[in-house]
Amino acid sequence: MCKRIGLDPRIKATYFKDKTNLLEVRNSLFIVAALLATISLTAGFTLPGGFHQETGAAILGKKPTFLVFLVSDALALFFSMLVLICLTWSMVFDASKSLVMIDRSMVLLRLALNFTLLAFMTGVYVVIAPKSLWAAILIIVIMSSLIGISVNKTLLYNLLEYVYKFIPTLIKKHRGRIDVEQGIPNEQDHFHDA
């Protein structure tokens, strides 16, 4: 039966199932990977701290955090380009191999996202820390928590559930004040008039 429908039973996908619309998934992942590659490439040419006018060398070139920035930016570019290559080749494979390539691209894309965040953190740190260490540490804590959340999908899901419950409550709580300030009668005013 597997041979008849062109499916290899040994192939296991982590993120996507056989019935997933691979064209839509491929297109979405391609856009995200292309944007990440663009960001990483741009960050590599507009280095934090700038360049020496005479030599063209990076001003912060000997700082360890700058080197971490360079390596993480290069890895972000590498993984996002690898996603683009996998997605491009997935167009010429049969359905089961295509599914595996697209599925594995999701893992590579997560790596590219995390290395992009790491590049941002270290780039900001190397530039801001000498003038405002507290701001640099705050940025690192915020971005590190984002990496932690992105790695653990259960934590991400629970966080989104909490935010989803919290925001409507916040909107309802402040809705009356916003309506009164803008001169718009709210539902409670109609009940008092009747």
Side-chain angles (χ1 to χ4, degrees):
M1 183 170 133
C2 288
K3 202 180 251 187
R4 195 173 12 159
I5 61 173
L7 180 67
D8 186 353
R10 295 169 291 178
I11 293 177
K12 297 203 184 328
T14 306
Y15 293 100
F16 307 110
K17 303 296 177 208
D18 293 329
K19 295 182 176 148
T20 303
N21 185 342
L22 294 181
L23 182 61
E24 287 180 17
V25 171
R26 184 186 298 125
N27 290 341
S28 299
L29 292 177
F30 203 92
I31 290 169
V32 174
L35 287 171
L36 281 176
T38 304
I39 291 167
S40 301
L41 189 65
T42 304
F45 283 109
T46 55
L47 297 175
F51 300 96
H52 286 290
Q53 292 294 328
E54 300 83 31
T55 63
I59 293 173
L60 303 172
K62 293 186 179 187
K63 293 193 175 262
T65 49
F66 180 76
L67 298 175
V68 173
F69 162 79
L70 284 179
V71 170
S72 58
D73 189 59
L75 287 170
L77 180 61
F78 172 79
F79 284 118
S80 57
M81 291 301 292
L82 192 56
V83 169
L84 293 173
I85 291 167
C86 287
L87 293 174
T88 301
W89 278 107
S90 74
M91 290 187 262
V92 298
F93 283 117
D94 62 15
S96 61
K97 289 182 181 174
S98 228
L99 174 68
V100 170
M101 295 213 44
I102 292 170
D103 192 67
R104 300 306 185 260
S105 294
M106 188 68 183
V107 175
L108 298 173
L109 189 60
R110 287 179 55 206
L111 286 170
L113 282 166
N114 288 334
F115 279 116
T116 302
L117 287 171
L118 183 61
F120 173 78
M121 285 189 304
T122 54
V124 167
Y125 180 83
V126 76
V127 173
I128 293 180
K131 298 288 182 184
S132 180
L133 185 60
W134 72 268
I137 291 172
L138 180 65
I139 289 169
I140 286 178
V141 168
I142 291 169
M143 291 296 138
S144 296
S145 66
L146 190 57
I147 290 174
I149 290 168
S150 73
V151 169
N152 187 339
K153 64 183 175 185
T154 306
L155 181 63
L156 176 63
Y157 182 80
N158 291 337
L159 179 69
L160 290 176
E161 284 293 313
Y162 176 75
V163 168
Y164 180 75
K165 289 177 183 174
F166 178 71
I167 289 179
T169 306
L170 189 63
I171 291 171
K172 288 177 186 174
K173 183 178 177 183
H174 294 287
R175 181 69 185 174
R177 279 193 252 160
I178 293 170
D179 291 343
V180 170
E181 289 171 4
Q182 294 177 353
I184 301 169
N186 61 20
E187 296 169 4
Q188 293 172 349
D189 292 339
H190 294 295
F191 289 121
H192 292 295
D193 292 339

